[in-house]
Amino acid sequence: MSIVDSIAKRRTYYQLDKDLPVAEQEVVALVEKITELVPDAFNMKSARAVVVTGSRQDALWDAIYDAFGGKVAREKIDGFRAAYGTILYFYDTDVVKGLQERFPLYAANFPVWAQQANGMLQFSIWSGLRDLGVGANLQHYNPVIDEMVREMFDLPASWQLVAQMPFGGIVAEPDAKAKEDIRQRVRVIR
């Protein structure tokens, strides 16, 4: 499969279940390998990923619901809870600060570069999951849940939560993507 085919297959799957079409270890191996391969500025290696499954998956989404005090619909949260697992994406602020101190000329850029690397990691894992036949979607309930997540999983205070990616068996395909006039977003200058 070409990279373009892989990217085209990657979609936002909201209807997921706990029937993972591959062994959990295949998902973990994918996350580990892609985390190792995704590039970042100054080779800073600031990205962190936590794969949550089993009863901890359910507890995570119950705690997210509680953190919002009912302001997010239970059925929406239950849709994410129904997934096999969730990948939590972070970047390590200690790594970023260390590089800011070592390279003060670029200090303002390191947080931006850490976010860019994290975005590449998220997208690469998302595409890789789809190649395994696994569906996923990307959520952003941070910063409301940041401290709760760090405490729940005993994570370092320096880990800054960026996104949450529920993943699992695909229950339903998303609607077809609308065709766009790509010339509105891409220009060729000769």
Side-chain angles (χ1 to χ4, degrees), residues 8-23:
K9 247 174 86 175
R10 187 235 38 94
R11 298 291 309 279
T12 297
Y13 288 89
Y14 286 115
Q15 295 182 30
L16 302 170
D17 64 22
K18 296 191 185 310
D19 293 326
L20 201 60
V22 296

Side-chain angles (χ1 to χ4, degrees), residues 87-127:
I87 302 167
L88 301 171
Y89 294 93
F90 302 83
Y91 74 90
D92 191 334
T93 59
D94 283 349
V95 171
V96 172
K97 288 175 190 169
L99 286 165
Q100 287 175 310
E101 291 167 5
R102 284 183 53 211
F103 303 99
L105 186 61
Y106 299 109
N109 292 53
F110 283 107
V112 174
W113 292 335
Q115 290 280 8
Q116 289 172 346
N118 208 284
M120 288 190 290
L121 178 64
Q122 293 165 34
F123 186 77
S124 297
I125 289 174
W126 199 350
S127 297

Side-chain angles (χ1 to χ4, degrees), residues 21-170:
V22 296
E24 179 180 308
Q25 188 50 43
E26 286 187 61
V27 171
V28 171
L30 176 87
V31 171
E32 290 172 345
K33 191 61 173 177
I34 290 176
T35 300
E36 181 181 4
L37 293 174
V38 166
D40 54 7
F42 284 71
N43 198 30
M44 71 172 111
K45 300 187 185 301
S46 64
R48 305 290 183 261
V50 174
V51 181
V52 181
T53 64
S55 64
R56 301 299 297 268
Q57 155 73 0
D58 296 345
L60 169 65
W61 288 99
D62 288 341
I64 290 171
Y65 177 78
D66 292 344
F68 280 90
K71 292 179 184 162
V72 178
R74 184 74 221 196
E75 59 268 6
K76 184 173 187 177
I77 296 297
D78 283 347
F80 306 133
R81 185 183 191 272
Y84 182 87
T86 298
I87 302 167
L88 301 171
Y89 294 93
F90 302 83
Y91 74 90
D92 191 334
T93 59
D94 283 349
V95 171
V96 172
K97 288 175 190 169
L99 286 165
Q100 287 175 310
E101 291 167 5
R102 284 183 53 211
F103 303 99
L105 186 61
Y106 299 109
N109 292 53
F110 283 107
V112 174
W113 292 335
Q115 290 280 8
Q116 289 172 346
N118 208 284
M120 288 190 290
L121 178 64
Q122 293 165 34
F123 186 77
S124 297
I125 289 174
W126 199 350
S127 297
L129 287 171
R130 189 61 190 94
D131 283 348
L132 292 176
V134 176
N137 60 73
L138 194 62
Q139 301 304 311
H140 301 90
Y141 284 97
N142 43 299
V144 175
I145 65 171
D146 289 9
E147 191 57 37
M148 176 274 294
V149 167
R150 276 194 295 271
E151 288 176 13
M152 177 178 254
F153 301 116
D154 194 28
L155 302 172
S158 64
W159 287 23
Q160 179 66 49
L161 185 61
V162 178
Q164 308 82 52
M165 182 179 284
F167 67 91
I170 297 169

